[in-house]
Amino acid sequence: MIPEAYKDFLNKIIDKTNSGDVKWESDIDKSLFLRTKSATIEVGHYSDDDAELSFYYFQFYNIATKKEAIFRVNHHEDEYKEMEKLYAVATASATNIKDELSNFLDEL
């Protein structure tokens, strides 16, 4: 479940990402990061094969205040699509997909 306190925030992050105002980064395990001077957001995806569940997770960590908050949403929950949307736009940002697709078309 996405806690109520995050819902408006997540929509604003999606809008800022789609407009190119923010740039996500990725790491080896496909986690995605959005950083400011004082805080980091991490978004990721994983599956629990034993439980037959897929999850998206969101973690916020404020370096200055050392405050941390995390939640996850599984594929049976209604809000899974919202997290899937956040992960998709963050992935597109981290991989600079607009330029990649443009370069691909130029090579055709």
Side-chain angles (χ1 to χ4, degrees), residues 56-68:
Y56 283 104
Y57 68 88
F58 175 95
Q59 182 173 2
F60 174 85
Y61 181 71
N62 187 312
I63 300 159
T65 62
K66 299 196 183 333
K67 291 187 178 176
E68 183 176 16

Side-chain angles (χ1 to χ4, degrees), residues 16-17 20-25 33-35 90 92-97:
K16 285 184 170 285
T17 302
D21 293 337
V22 298
K23 178 76 172 135
W24 289 78
E25 304 167 16
F33 299 91
L34 187 58
R35 303 175 200 278
S93 173
T95 59
N96 200 17
I97 198 66

Side-chain angles (χ1 to χ4, degrees), residues 39-75:
T40 299
I41 292 172
E42 178 181 350
V43 175
H45 181 265
Y46 68 95
S47 296
D48 181 340
D49 294 333
D50 293 334
E52 297 181 354
L53 293 172
S54 292
F55 294 93
Y56 283 104
Y57 68 88
F58 175 95
Q59 182 173 2
F60 174 85
Y61 181 71
N62 187 312
I63 300 159
T65 62
K66 299 196 183 333
K67 291 187 178 176
E68 183 176 16
I70 189 169
F71 69 86
R72 69 182 185 172
V73 177
N74 74 54
H75 71 271

Side-chain angles (χ1 to χ4, degrees), residues 2 16 25 29 41 51 62 68 78-79 89-91 96 100:
I2 299 175
K16 285 184 170 285
E25 304 167 16
D29 69 355
I41 292 172
N62 187 312
E68 183 176 16
D78 293 336
E79 295 158 329
V89 298
T91 300
N96 200 17
E100 291 293 325

Side-chain angles (χ1 to χ4, degrees), residues 26-41:
S26 61
D27 71 1
I28 297 169
D29 69 355
K30 297 186 181 179
S31 294
L32 301 162
F33 299 91
L34 187 58
R35 303 175 200 278
T36 66
K37 291 178 184 175
S38 62
T40 299
I41 292 172

